[in-house]
Amino acid sequence: MTGNEHGGRLGEEFFTPGSSSFTEFLAAHRPELLSTRRVLPDGVRAAPHQVPHGTTVLALSFRDGVLIAGDRRATMGNLIAQRDLEKVHPADDHTAVAFAGTVGLALDMVKLYQVELAHFEKIEGVGMTLDGKARRLAGMIRQNLGQAMQGLAVVPLLVGYDPAGTEGERGRIFSFDIAGGLYEKAGFHAEGSGSPYAGGALKKLFRKGLDRREAALTALQALYDAADDDSATGGPDINRQIFPIVSVITGDGFERLPETETAALCREMVEQRRARPDGPNATP
Protein backbone atom coordinates (compact mmCIF):
# COMPACT_ATOMS: atom_id res chain seq x y z
CA MET A 1 0.00 0.00 0.00
CA THR A 2 3.04 2.26 -0.28
CA GLY A 3 2.39 3.41 -3.81
CA ASN A 4 5.53 1.75 -5.25
CA GLU A 5 3.39 -0.47 -7.46
CA HIS A 6 2.06 2.73 -9.08
CA GLY A 7 5.43 4.28 -9.83
CA GLY A 8 5.57 6.11 -6.50
CA ARG A 9 2.02 7.52 -6.84
CA LEU A 10 -0.91 6.53 -4.66
CA GLY A 11 -3.37 4.20 -6.34
CA GLU A 12 -6.92 5.26 -7.17
CA GLU A 13 -8.23 3.32 -4.15
CA PHE A 14 -6.86 6.11 -1.96
CA PHE A 15 -9.04 8.65 -3.78
CA THR A 16 -12.23 6.57 -3.89
CA PRO A 17 -14.86 7.64 -1.35
CA GLY A 18 -15.59 4.96 1.22
CA SER A 19 -16.32 4.41 4.88
CA SER A 20 -14.24 5.65 7.80
CA SER A 21 -13.23 2.07 8.61
CA PHE A 22 -9.63 1.18 7.81
CA THR A 23 -10.50 -2.51 8.15
CA GLU A 24 -13.17 -2.21 5.46
CA PHE A 25 -10.67 -0.34 3.27
CA LEU A 26 -8.18 -3.20 3.53
CA ALA A 27 -10.90 -5.80 2.99
CA ALA A 28 -11.90 -4.10 -0.26
CA HIS A 29 -8.43 -3.45 -1.69
CA ARG A 30 -5.84 -5.65 0.05
CA PRO A 31 -7.70 -8.44 1.89
CA GLU A 32 -4.53 -10.55 2.08
CA LEU A 33 -3.19 -8.09 4.66
CA LEU A 34 -5.97 -8.95 7.10
CA SER A 35 -4.60 -11.80 9.20
CA THR A 36 -7.98 -12.26 10.89
CA ARG A 37 -9.52 -13.45 7.63
CA ARG A 38 -7.03 -16.19 6.81
CA VAL A 39 -8.70 -19.52 7.46
CA LEU A 40 -6.78 -22.79 7.63
CA PRO A 41 -7.50 -25.42 4.96
CA ASP A 42 -10.57 -27.59 5.47
CA GLY A 43 -10.03 -30.29 8.05
CA VAL A 44 -6.98 -28.60 9.56
CA ARG A 45 -7.01 -27.52 13.19
CA ALA A 46 -4.24 -25.71 15.02
CA ALA A 47 -2.50 -27.81 17.66
CA PRO A 48 -2.51 -25.98 21.04
CA HIS A 49 1.05 -27.10 21.82
CA GLN A 50 2.41 -25.52 18.61
CA VAL A 51 0.96 -22.00 18.92
CA PRO A 52 1.80 -19.56 21.76
CA HIS A 53 -1.21 -18.54 23.83
CA GLY A 54 -1.57 -15.64 26.22
CA THR A 55 -3.43 -16.37 29.41
CA THR A 56 -4.86 -14.15 32.14
CA VAL A 57 -5.94 -10.50 31.85
CA LEU A 58 -8.32 -8.53 34.03
CA ALA A 59 -9.83 -5.11 34.61
CA LEU A 60 -11.53 -3.26 37.44
CA SER A 61 -12.98 0.19 37.90
CA PHE A 62 -11.69 2.50 40.61
CA ARG A 63 -12.39 5.98 41.92
CA ASP A 64 -10.62 7.90 39.12
CA GLY A 65 -11.23 5.59 36.16
CA VAL A 66 -10.42 2.04 35.18
CA LEU A 67 -7.43 -0.29 35.60
CA ILE A 68 -6.38 -3.08 33.25
CA ALA A 69 -3.66 -5.66 33.95
CA GLY A 70 -2.22 -8.92 32.68
CA ASP A 71 0.36 -11.52 33.58
CA ARG A 72 3.37 -11.96 31.28
CA ARG A 73 3.36 -15.68 30.44
CA ALA A 74 2.62 -17.29 27.06
CA THR A 75 2.39 -21.07 26.80
CA MET A 76 2.48 -23.75 24.12
CA GLY A 77 0.80 -26.76 25.66
CA ASN A 78 2.81 -27.61 28.77
CA LEU A 79 5.75 -25.40 27.73
CA ILE A 80 6.41 -21.77 28.62
CA ALA A 81 6.79 -20.03 25.25
CA GLN A 82 7.54 -16.54 26.61
CA ARG A 83 7.97 -15.09 30.09
CA ASP A 84 7.69 -11.38 29.33
CA LEU A 85 4.81 -11.08 26.86
CA GLU A 86 2.99 -7.73 26.89
CA LYS A 87 -0.78 -8.36 26.82
CA VAL A 88 -1.95 -4.84 27.71
CA HIS A 89 -1.80 -2.08 25.09
CA PRO A 90 -3.21 1.43 24.67
CA ALA A 91 -5.74 1.67 21.84
CA ASP A 92 -5.85 5.47 21.99
CA ASP A 93 -5.51 8.14 24.67
CA HIS A 94 -8.53 6.99 26.69
CA THR A 95 -8.94 3.34 25.70
CA ALA A 96 -6.87 0.19 26.29
CA VAL A 97 -7.10 -3.41 25.20
CA ALA A 98 -5.68 -6.61 26.66
CA PHE A 99 -5.91 -10.10 25.23
CA ALA A 100 -5.97 -13.78 25.97
CA GLY A 101 -5.65 -16.39 23.26
CA THR A 102 -3.49 -16.89 20.17
CA VAL A 103 -0.59 -14.46 20.56
CA GLY A 104 0.29 -13.80 16.90
CA LEU A 105 -3.28 -13.08 15.85
CA ALA A 106 -3.95 -11.06 19.00
CA LEU A 107 -0.97 -8.75 18.42
CA ASP A 108 -2.04 -8.22 14.79
CA MET A 109 -5.58 -7.47 15.92
CA VAL A 110 -4.39 -4.95 18.50
CA LYS A 111 -2.25 -3.12 15.92
CA LEU A 112 -5.09 -3.07 13.41
CA TYR A 113 -7.49 -1.81 16.07
CA GLN A 114 -5.13 1.04 16.97
CA VAL A 115 -4.98 2.06 13.31
CA GLU A 116 -8.76 1.67 12.99
CA LEU A 117 -9.41 4.21 15.75
CA ALA A 118 -6.79 6.67 14.47
CA HIS A 119 -8.11 6.35 10.89
CA PHE A 120 -11.69 7.03 11.99
CA GLU A 121 -10.67 10.19 13.83
CA LYS A 122 -8.70 11.48 10.84
CA ILE A 123 -11.55 10.82 8.40
CA GLU A 124 -14.42 12.00 10.58
CA GLY A 125 -12.57 14.78 12.41
CA VAL A 126 -13.81 13.51 15.77
CA GLY A 127 -12.99 10.53 17.93
CA MET A 128 -15.23 7.48 18.09
CA THR A 129 -17.47 7.12 21.12
CA LEU A 130 -16.56 4.44 23.65
CA ASP A 131 -19.63 2.40 22.68
CA GLY A 132 -18.60 2.73 19.04
CA LYS A 133 -15.08 1.54 19.86
CA ALA A 134 -16.51 -1.54 21.58
CA ARG A 135 -18.76 -2.36 18.62
CA ARG A 136 -15.88 -1.87 16.18
CA LEU A 137 -13.68 -4.32 18.10
CA ALA A 138 -16.58 -6.80 18.23
CA GLY A 139 -16.77 -6.65 14.44
CA MET A 140 -13.06 -7.37 14.11
CA ILE A 141 -13.37 -10.39 16.42
CA ARG A 142 -16.29 -11.64 14.33
CA GLN A 143 -14.04 -11.56 11.25
CA ASN A 144 -11.74 -14.03 13.04
CA LEU A 145 -14.54 -16.55 13.69
CA GLY A 146 -13.29 -19.01 11.04
CA GLN A 147 -9.86 -19.25 12.65
CA ALA A 148 -11.35 -19.29 16.15
CA MET A 149 -13.35 -22.40 15.23
CA GLN A 150 -10.06 -23.98 14.12
CA GLY A 151 -8.38 -23.36 17.45
CA LEU A 152 -6.92 -19.88 16.87
CA ALA A 153 -9.18 -17.81 19.11
CA VAL A 154 -8.50 -14.30 20.38
CA VAL A 155 -10.46 -12.97 23.37
CA PRO A 156 -9.80 -9.28 24.05
CA LEU A 157 -10.75 -7.20 27.06
CA LEU A 158 -11.51 -3.52 26.37
CA VAL A 159 -11.58 -0.68 28.88
CA GLY A 160 -12.10 3.03 28.50
CA TYR A 161 -12.74 6.28 30.30
CA ASP A 162 -16.15 7.77 29.56
CA PRO A 163 -16.37 11.45 30.53
CA ALA A 164 -20.15 11.27 30.13
CA GLY A 165 -20.40 8.82 33.04
CA THR A 166 -21.28 9.74 36.60
CA GLU A 167 -18.53 10.76 39.02
CA GLY A 168 -16.61 7.73 40.26
CA GLU A 169 -18.09 5.44 37.57
CA ARG A 170 -16.47 6.72 34.40
CA GLY A 171 -14.31 3.65 33.88
CA ARG A 172 -16.09 1.09 31.69
CA ILE A 173 -15.21 -2.54 30.92
CA PHE A 174 -16.24 -4.60 27.87
CA SER A 175 -15.75 -8.32 27.27
CA PHE A 176 -16.30 -10.36 24.11
CA ASP A 177 -16.83 -13.95 23.06
CA ILE A 178 -15.11 -15.60 20.09
CA ALA A 179 -18.11 -14.86 17.84
CA GLY A 180 -17.94 -11.13 18.51
CA GLY A 181 -20.61 -11.01 21.20
CA LEU A 182 -20.26 -7.81 23.23
CA TYR A 183 -20.92 -7.56 26.97
CA GLU A 184 -20.39 -4.65 29.33
CA LYS A 185 -19.23 -5.67 32.80
CA ALA A 186 -19.88 -3.84 36.05
CA GLY A 187 -16.99 -3.32 38.43
CA PHE A 188 -14.52 -5.96 37.29
CA HIS A 189 -13.89 -8.82 34.88
CA ALA A 190 -11.18 -11.37 33.99
CA GLU A 191 -10.44 -13.37 30.83
CA GLY A 192 -8.14 -16.27 29.98
CA SER A 193 -7.28 -19.64 31.47
CA GLY A 194 -6.71 -18.19 34.93
CA SER A 195 -9.89 -16.10 34.89
CA PRO A 196 -11.95 -18.33 37.25
CA TYR A 197 -9.36 -17.80 39.98
CA ALA A 198 -8.66 -14.14 39.19
CA GLY A 199 -12.39 -13.47 39.00
CA GLY A 200 -12.92 -15.16 42.36
CA ALA A 201 -10.26 -12.97 43.95
CA LEU A 202 -11.74 -9.83 42.40
CA LYS A 203 -15.19 -10.79 43.65
CA LYS A 204 -13.74 -11.04 47.15
CA LEU A 205 -11.54 -7.92 47.13
CA PHE A 206 -13.28 -5.43 44.85
CA ARG A 207 -15.27 -2.55 46.28
CA LYS A 208 -16.38 0.78 44.90
CA GLY A 209 -14.21 3.81 45.56
CA LEU A 210 -10.79 2.12 45.48
CA ASP A 211 -7.93 4.54 44.94
CA ARG A 212 -5.24 3.81 42.36
CA ARG A 213 -2.86 2.06 44.73
CA GLU A 214 -5.63 -0.09 46.22
CA ALA A 215 -6.88 -1.00 42.75
CA ALA A 216 -3.38 -1.98 41.61
CA LEU A 217 -2.85 -4.18 44.66
CA THR A 218 -6.26 -5.79 44.12
CA ALA A 219 -5.33 -6.60 40.49
CA LEU A 220 -1.96 -8.04 41.54
CA GLN A 221 -3.58 -10.17 44.26
CA ALA A 222 -6.03 -11.53 41.67
CA LEU A 223 -3.24 -12.37 39.21
CA TYR A 224 -1.29 -14.03 42.04
CA ASP A 225 -4.31 -16.23 42.84
CA ALA A 226 -4.65 -17.10 39.15
CA ALA A 227 -0.97 -18.10 38.95
CA ASP A 228 -1.35 -20.12 42.15
CA ASP A 229 -3.96 -22.42 40.56
CA ASP A 230 -3.40 -22.10 36.80
CA SER A 231 -0.05 -23.28 35.45
CA ALA A 232 -0.47 -21.18 32.29
CA THR A 233 -0.57 -17.94 34.28
CA GLY A 234 2.73 -16.45 35.43
CA GLY A 235 3.12 -14.80 38.81
CA PRO A 236 5.60 -12.02 39.62
CA ASP A 237 9.13 -13.25 38.83
CA ILE A 238 11.27 -11.51 41.46
CA ASN A 239 14.54 -13.12 40.33
CA ARG A 240 14.15 -12.16 36.66
CA GLN A 241 12.52 -8.82 37.50
CA ILE A 242 9.47 -9.65 35.39
CA PHE A 243 6.23 -8.27 36.80
CA PRO A 244 2.63 -8.04 35.57
CA ILE A 245 1.70 -5.07 33.43
CA VAL A 246 -0.70 -2.70 35.18
CA SER A 247 -2.16 0.31 33.39
CA VAL A 248 -4.80 2.87 34.30
CA ILE A 249 -7.04 5.18 32.28
CA THR A 250 -8.35 8.36 33.89
CA GLY A 251 -9.44 11.76 32.67
CA ASP A 252 -5.75 12.46 32.04
CA GLY A 253 -5.51 9.54 29.63
CA PHE A 254 -3.69 6.21 29.50
CA GLU A 255 -0.81 5.54 31.88
CA ARG A 256 1.21 2.38 32.37
CA LEU A 257 2.39 2.10 35.95
CA PRO A 258 6.18 2.47 36.09
CA GLU A 259 8.11 -0.77 36.49
CA THR A 260 9.50 0.44 39.81
CA GLU A 261 6.00 1.03 41.21
CA THR A 262 4.70 -2.35 40.05
CA ALA A 263 7.80 -4.10 41.41
CA ALA A 264 7.39 -2.44 44.82
CA LEU A 265 3.71 -3.42 44.98
CA CYS A 266 4.56 -7.00 43.99
CA ARG A 267 7.21 -7.28 46.69
CA GLU A 268 4.76 -5.90 49.25
CA MET A 269 2.15 -8.44 48.15
CA VAL A 270 4.59 -11.37 48.22
CA GLU A 271 5.69 -10.39 51.72
CA GLN A 272 2.04 -10.33 52.84
CA ARG A 273 1.57 -13.79 51.36
CA ARG A 274 4.32 -15.18 53.57
CA ALA A 275 2.02 -14.67 56.54
CA ARG A 276 -1.19 -15.46 54.66
CA PRO A 277 -0.59 -17.67 51.58
CA ASP A 278 -4.27 -17.62 50.58
CA GLY A 279 -4.31 -13.83 50.32
CA PRO A 280 -6.22 -11.13 52.17
CA ASN A 281 -9.75 -11.42 53.48
CA ALA A 282 -12.57 -9.53 51.84
CA THR A 283 -13.01 -6.01 53.17
CA PRO A 284 -16.23 -5.69 55.18
Side-chain angles (χ1 to χ4, degrees):
M1 304 290 287
T2 61
N4 291 337
E5 60 270 38
H6 300 285
R9 298 189 302 273
L10 293 175
E12 65 177 272
E13 61 268 21
F14 288 92
F15 303 97
T16 303
S19 77
S20 55
S21 170
F22 185 75
T23 305
E24 291 180 5
F25 176 77
L26 280 184
H29 301 287
R30 294 291 296 274
E32 70 277 7
L33 297 178
L34 287 172
S35 60
T36 56
R37 294 198 175 186
R38 300 173 193 154
V39 182
L40 299 175
D42 290 341
V44 175
R45 184 174 176 83
H49 63 279
Q50 293 180 342
V51 182
H53 280 73
T55 47
T56 309
V57 295
L58 58 84
L60 66 148
S61 59
F62 70 105
R63 186 175 60 200
D64 298 322
V66 62
L67 178 148
I68 186 166
D71 81 308
R72 307 293 294 276
R73 180 173 291 177
T75 59
M76 289 194 302
N78 65 316
L79 301 177
I80 297 176
Q82 188 173 345
R83 300 180 189 274
D84 59 352
L85 177 66
E86 298 201 2
K87 305 174 188 175
V88 179
H89 301 267
D92 62 16
D93 289 342
H94 289 88
T95 317
V97 61
F99 65 84
T102 307
V103 172
L105 283 176
L107 291 173
D108 279 353
M109 187 179 292
V110 168
K111 292 175 184 176
L112 182 60
Y113 185 58
Q114 291 167 334
V115 175
E116 181 81 5
L117 298 186
H119 181 78
F120 179 93
E121 186 168 355
K122 288 177 180 178
I123 296 297
E124 297 294 337
V126 64
M128 199 180 297
T129 66
L130 185 53
D131 289 303
K133 294 173 187 177
R135 289 192 295 270
R136 191 61 60 94
L137 183 55
M140 294 174 65
I141 299 166
R142 199 169 297 119
Q143 292 173 2
N144 189 55
L145 181 58
Q147 291 182 96
M149 298 303 291
Q150 293 179 309
L152 299 175
V154 176
V155 184
L157 184 59
L158 180 72
V159 300
Y161 182 84
D162 189 350
T166 58
E167 185 73 27
E169 298 183 357
R170 290 174 178 163
R172 298 173 64 188
I173 303 168
F174 300 90
S175 72
F176 307 84
D177 59 35
I178 62 171
L182 170 62
Y183 315 94
E184 184 165 3
K185 301 296 182 178
F188 60 86
H189 188 67
E191 290 285 2
S193 62
S195 61
Y197 315 106
L202 289 172
K203 186 175 182 180
K204 177 180 70 171
L205 299 175
F206 174 81
R207 69 179 191 277
K208 289 187 176 181
L210 294 170
D211 62 27
R212 180 176 119 152
R213 187 178 190 279
E214 292 170 331
L217 270 174
T218 297
L220 292 172
Q221 293 279 10
L223 289 172
Y224 192 102
D225 279 351
D228 202 30
D229 287 297
D230 173 44
S231 62
T233 302
D237 192 332
I238 304 295
N239 292 331
R240 293 187 177 89
Q241 297 291 292
I242 300 173
F243 304 99
I245 293 176
V246 181
S247 298
V248 296
I249 305 176
T250 66
D252 295 328
F254 175 91
E255 179 191 359
R256 174 169 167 172
L257 267 62
E259 187 89 351
T260 52
E261 182 178 353
T262 306
L265 290 172
C266 284
R267 290 190 176 92
E268 177 182 333
M269 176 189 64
V270 170
E271 190 59 34
Q272 292 171 355
R273 292 271 177 159
R274 293 183 191 277
R276 189 177 181 87
D278 293 335
N281 285 326
T283 303

